[in-house]
Amino acid sequence: MEMIEHAIRENSLVGAFAFVGLIMWISVHLSRKLTFGRVHGSAIAIVIGLALAYWGGIQTGGSKGLADLKLFAGIGLMGGAMMRDFAIVATAFEVQVDEAKKAGLVGVMALLLGTIIPFIVGASVAWSMGYTDAVAMTTIGAGAVTYIVGPVTGAAIGASSDLMALAIATGLIKAIMVMVFTPVAARFMGLDNPRSAMVFGGLAGTVSGVSAGLAATDRRLVPYGALVATFHTGLGCLMGPSVLFLATKAIVG
Amino acid sequence: MIIYGTAILAACHLLGVYIGDLLGAFIGVKANVGGVGIAMMLLISARVYLHKRGLMPDTTEAGVGFWAAMYIPVVVAMAAQQNVVAALKGGPVALISAIGAVLLCACTIALINRTGPKRQDTAWQTGTVAEES
């Protein structure tokens, strides 16, 4: 047993390939046997991944879920930002250029709305729960945009570290909700063509939420959503500490 | 050779991220602005350009296609390393903000998609998805 553990630790990325392959295999079977294909195998796999991340976080007290366990360090590399972005870029190979061009303008509009709506919701909730100063409202509002925009904005306007932690938690919950509930709400949102995927990518925000949510809904829609969603964090980091902070300050003083 | 495809993909990725960083520095943001999106557009342009000149044999395409097909497993690995514990510890402010934002955005998406033009185009469905079983 120790020898196997040693082998996996020495070859962590290879271990991750095998482990994720196993999760996928289990998920596809659960999807077929338990739900008769109604729930997508990848949706089940993502939920299993999140559950394992919770378990890993409890076990180690770390911040990287399952990847904090030495045996599963390869998961950190395989699912890290580098590999994630590399795989997302690769999906662009399947994009039908005309489809993407047709929805360009509506994608930009969705991107703007996707920054402003979550911000207003987050800032309003913060205000109603007693965080009435502009810095706190802006930081939490920015956290509701994405979990990267929150701390970046907070750092720029001088928020305390508890506020930033709160903003990160807000963004994380949002990302997890998008991952889990996108396939459930796909029909309601009309998510069945490239244009709608681009609208979704702009409004749902967070590359991780959008990419996992679309993967669990229809793999072919991924590149269209991701193409728009990758501008989300940049736009949020641009607007958060500037326009949105100033607007909040003008309103609450 | 299969590595040509992967190398083109890698080059587009790096160039896109570099341009995204430059863009971020240019507008004074401490973040990468659309680097991955720019990389995707570069890859699309590269594909169209090389395809027209007949410089894109199947093996080269396979060097990109493999990574596109690895996308879902990578996303599963990504899910397994989210800070779920911290997310659940955020308390009511974080929870209500997130739920409110997601609900309102979902309704907005539904609104835009339902009022948009109804099209029966199905060309996008005949992609090159390798892993569908």
Side-chain angles (χ1 to χ4, degrees), chain A:
Chain A
M1 195 60 204
E2 227 169 71
M3 299 272 283
I4 297 177
E5 264 189 59
H6 178 77
I8 295 173
R9 268 186 220 177
E10 291 285 296
N11 303 281
S12 60
L13 183 59
V14 179
F17 288 151
F19 184 66
V20 173
L22 181 70
I23 296 181
M24 289 300 299
W25 184 78
I26 294 171
S27 307
V28 168
H29 276 265
L30 284 176
S31 159
R32 259 188 229 146
K33 298 268 155 65
L34 236 59
T35 72
F36 302 100
R38 241 168 285 164
V39 180
H40 215 289
S42 22
I44 297 174
I46 287 163
V47 172
I48 293 178
L50 289 170
L52 288 170
Y54 179 75
W55 180 76
I58 295 281
Q59 292 291 312
T60 62
S63 63
K64 283 174 117 191
L66 196 62
D68 278 329
L69 286 142
K70 279 208 181 78
L71 198 56
F72 296 106
I75 296 280
L77 188 52
M78 182 176 170
M82 179 172 72
M83 294 290 277
R84 182 197 67 192
D85 291 346
F86 194 59
I88 289 179
V89 174
T91 64
F93 221 55
E94 297 154 13
V95 165
Q96 304 273 335
V97 183
D98 295 339
E99 294 288 338
K101 271 189 192 153
K102 264 187 261 172
L105 197 65
V106 78
V108 173
M109 194 182 77
L111 210 47
L112 276 172
L113 284 175
T115 307
I116 295 167
I117 293 175
F119 181 84
I120 293 175
V121 172
S124 309
V125 171
W127 182 81
S128 68
M129 300 276 234
Y131 294 89
T132 48
D133 65 294
V135 170
M137 283 173 67
T138 306
T139 306
I140 295 169
V145 180
T146 82
Y147 60 80
I148 296 172
V149 175
V152 168
T153 301
I157 61 176
S160 67
S161 64
D162 329 354
L163 273 175
M164 292 214 251
L166 198 56
I168 295 171
T170 308
L172 276 175
I173 296 176
K174 185 186 167 200
I176 292 168
M177 285 184 65
V178 173
M179 284 182 204
V180 176
F181 292 113
T182 300
V184 183
R187 193 178 288 239
F188 168 70
M189 293 189 291
L191 204 54
D192 58 3
N193 61 68
R195 178 185 181 271
S196 65
M198 287 176 79
V199 171
F200 173 78
L203 264 156
T206 84
V207 178
S208 45
V210 166
S211 53
L214 283 177
T217 307
D218 187 338
R219 164 66 178 73
R220 293 166 302 191
L221 294 175
V222 167
Y224 300 98
L227 194 60
V228 179
T230 54
F231 286 91
H232 208 270
T233 295
L235 184 68
C237 292
L238 178 65
M239 289 177 70
S242 56
V243 189
L244 296 174
F245 178 55
L246 294 176
T248 312
K249 217 169 154 189
I251 293 170
V252 298

